[in-house]
Amino acid sequence: MSQEMIALFMFSTMMLMLMTGQRVFAAIGAVAAVSAITMWGVGGSDIPFSAAMKLMNWYPLLTLPMFIFMGYVLSESKIADDLYRMFHVWMGPIHGGLAIGTIGLMVLVSAMNGLSVAGMAIGATIALPELLRRGYDKRMVTGVIQAGSSLGILVPPSVVLVLYAMIARQPVGQLWLAGVFPGLLMAGMFVLYIAIRCRIQPHLGPVLPLEERQVSLGEKLRLLRAGALPVVIFASMMVPFINGWTSLVESSAIGAMAAFVAAILKGRMNQQVFEVSVRQTLSISCMFMWIILAALGFGAVFDGLGAVDAIDNLFTDQLGLNPWMILILMQLSFLLMGTFLDDTAMLVIVAPLYVPLVAALGFDLVWYGVLYTITTQIAYMTPPFGYNLFLMRAMAPPEITLRDIYSSILPFVAVMLFALTLIMMFPQIALWLPEYVYNK
């Protein structure tokens, strides 16, 4: 068989296994292992062994359990509830203020956890009932929570960018710094849209009743201090890293310890919170390690085949496409796959093909990591099978129908597509911060 046919056969077999409900790492790893042994005999067994050694020797992987533990401690100890109460009091007097505060909550939750599911869970359980009870339009608020929660895979410490870093062999620190301003840019654009929309249509986001707004200045300041605690924890972790005082792994340990100490000082660290946090940390960390191991093995088989060179030749020489057209086609394929796959599955399936191809076309792999992440954010919310759409359906009250959820996300998807276009046109939006920090 030709290289192209072997590559096509591997992809089709893997997709077939995924469609039967197999776990992502099992489907990818099995195809990689069987293909390696079939093509290279007993020597093919060295490929998964080599991938495992790479994984075990990858020092930045230690950041993964640290940040996941930090996020679960902060969420399980209800420190996120203090955040929403702060936004509730300070933003309530303006039209759409609680929705704007919810976006702020989502940004900070993203900085605490790095997973979009955590933001969705907190938004749906804390913010959604409050917004509906105060007369906010149900389509507006479901769109706000879905869009805000998607920031979790872009704003550092993003767990997905750790996975991309391992597969693309790029520094995690640079990728996280590259995600800061694109994440803040999208959050700012969400806030601007909400403010303008609620200014034009005030009934969509009414102000808080006067009796709820009459809070003493002392109480406001107390809530501000309580709500600012996650910001202080995040700063204690990132400032030393940005200034070069600590490594990335050391900063992650500082963040985990700071969250643990904060929960103890607030009297919210008990056996249940600790046990749930440790169990979830272990579960998610092991899941990502298995996925990375399978992806490295699959990528090694592709490198051995030379399939990337064959596909590069197909696009550039035979079809005559320029690098930007190929890049746009890649992004469109992510949008299509996002209708039925989550972000990690998308990355692991196509990374062995796309990442070397992007490098061969002359694009920056750190910048492309940000593009990939934003595109998967958009795909999360793309009907008919977007990942976030069904998470929201599972968590929303009965009065919010699937039709409401689908229609609520359209303006936010438009905003995100505009942000993606800006970052494609002006790569320095993503690249200037990592360049500044690492050159410093």
Side-chain angles (χ1 to χ4, degrees):
M1 294 175 68
S2 65
Q3 295 171 334
E4 294 85 349
M5 287 302 298
I6 295 174
L8 182 61
F9 180 73
M10 288 176 64
F11 267 111
S12 59
T13 304
M14 180 175 59
M15 293 301 295
L16 181 62
M17 290 183 68
L18 288 171
M19 290 173 66
T20 62
Q22 300 297 321
R23 293 182 182 273
V24 172
F25 77 86
I28 296 167
V31 171
V34 171
S35 300
I37 293 173
T38 302
M39 288 187 287
W40 294 297
V42 177
S45 62
D46 289 341
I47 289 178
F49 178 78
S50 176
M53 290 302 100
K54 284 182 182 178
L55 183 64
M56 294 298 108
N57 290 327
W58 195 52
Y59 184 61
L61 191 65
L62 289 173
T63 62
L64 188 64
M66 296 291 185
F67 285 126
I68 294 172
F69 178 75
M70 180 185 74
Y72 273 104
V73 167
L74 291 173
S75 59
E76 293 297 323
S77 62
K78 306 298 182 184
I79 292 177
D81 293 24
D82 297 338
L83 271 175
Y84 191 69
R85 176 64 180 160
M86 179 192 74
F87 285 121
H88 178 94
V89 170
W90 282 87
M91 302 298 294
I94 64 175
H95 283 287
L98 293 186
I100 293 171
T102 300
I103 295 294
L105 172 69
M106 295 299 185
V107 172
L108 292 174
V109 167
S110 300
M112 293 189 303
N113 195 284
L115 295 168
S116 65
V117 176
M120 176 71 79
I122 290 173
T125 56
I126 298 174
L128 183 59
E130 290 289 320
L131 291 166
L132 292 174
R133 190 163 62 86
R134 283 166 172 77
Y136 273 67
D137 180 76
K138 60 181 181 179
R139 293 187 178 181
M140 166 70 81
V141 298
T142 52
V144 165
I145 291 169
Q146 289 179 88
S149 66
S150 68
L151 297 172
I153 62 173
L154 183 60
V155 175
S158 167
V159 174
V160 174
L161 284 177
V162 174
L163 176 60
Y164 175 85
M166 185 64 190
I167 295 174
R169 299 180 178 91
Q170 297 299 305
V172 179
Q174 288 194 28
L175 283 160
W176 278 354
L177 293 173
V180 170
F181 277 91
L184 294 178
L185 172 66
M186 280 200 293
M189 292 172 72
F190 292 156
V191 167
L192 187 62
Y193 163 74
I194 294 167
I196 294 173
R197 181 83 186 274
C198 291
R199 183 68 179 257
I200 297 171
Q201 298 174 289
H203 66 279
L204 297 180
V207 298
L208 280 181
L210 184 61
E211 59 272 15
E212 292 193 39
R213 284 184 277 150
Q214 290 178 333
V215 178
S216 67
L217 181 61
E219 177 66 9
K220 283 188 174 183
L221 293 177
R222 189 194 68 78
L223 288 170
L224 186 61
R225 286 196 303 271
L229 180 59
V231 180
V232 174
I233 294 172
F234 183 71
S236 70
M237 170 184 67
M238 294 303 293
V239 170
F241 170 65
I242 290 175
N243 284 289
W245 304 333
T246 61
S247 69
L248 187 64
V249 174
E250 292 166 343
S251 292
S252 68
I254 291 172
M257 183 57 67
F260 186 73
V261 170
I264 291 175
L265 293 177
K266 291 183 75 69
R268 299 180 183 178
M269 176 54 67
N270 53 43
Q271 183 179 351
Q272 182 182 359
V273 170
F274 182 75
E275 185 175 334
V276 170
S277 300
V278 172
R279 283 182 179 274
Q280 291 297 325
T281 299
L282 181 62
S283 174
I284 295 175
S285 298
C286 291
M287 177 192 71
F288 271 94
M289 288 182 71
W290 276 112
I291 290 173
I292 293 171
L293 177 61
L296 289 174
F298 198 89
V301 175
F302 256 72
D303 288 342
L305 276 174
V308 173
D309 294 333
I311 294 173
D312 183 20
N313 178 66
L314 171 66
F315 282 137
T316 56
D317 295 340
Q318 298 182 33
L319 298 180
L321 301 177
N322 66 48
W324 279 101
M325 292 175 66
I326 298 172
L327 187 72
I328 292 171
L329 288 175
M330 289 179 184
Q331 301 307 97
L332 291 176
S333 70
F334 275 129
L335 292 176
L336 178 62
M337 286 188 291
T339 60
F340 59 92
L341 293 173
D342 66 15
D343 52 357
T344 53
M346 281 188 280
L347 178 61
V348 173
I349 288 170
V350 299
L353 174 63
Y354 281 11
V355 170
L357 184 57
V358 168
L361 293 173
F363 294 113
D364 188 286
L365 287 178
V366 172
W367 170 71
Y368 182 72
V370 175
L371 293 187
Y372 151 76
T373 307
I374 296 174
T375 309
T376 54
Q377 286 176 302
I378 297 170
Y380 263 20
M381 302 183 295
T382 304
F385 304 114
Y387 195 63
N388 270 15
L389 301 175
F390 289 100
L391 281 175
M392 175 56 74
R393 175 60 279 182
M395 297 178 182
E399 63 265 27
I400 296 179
T401 64
L402 195 59
R403 182 175 180 180
D404 294 328
I405 294 171
Y406 279 5
S407 60
S408 70
I409 207 60
L410 295 178
F412 292 97
V413 167
V415 170
M416 295 173 79
L417 286 171
F418 180 62
L420 177 64
T421 304
L422 284 178
I423 295 166
M424 291 181 72
M425 293 173 61
F426 305 103
Q428 285 304 114
I429 295 175
L431 295 178
W432 83 267
L433 184 58
E435 289 175 358
Y436 168 76
V437 170
Y438 276 80
N439 288 336
K440 181 180 177 183

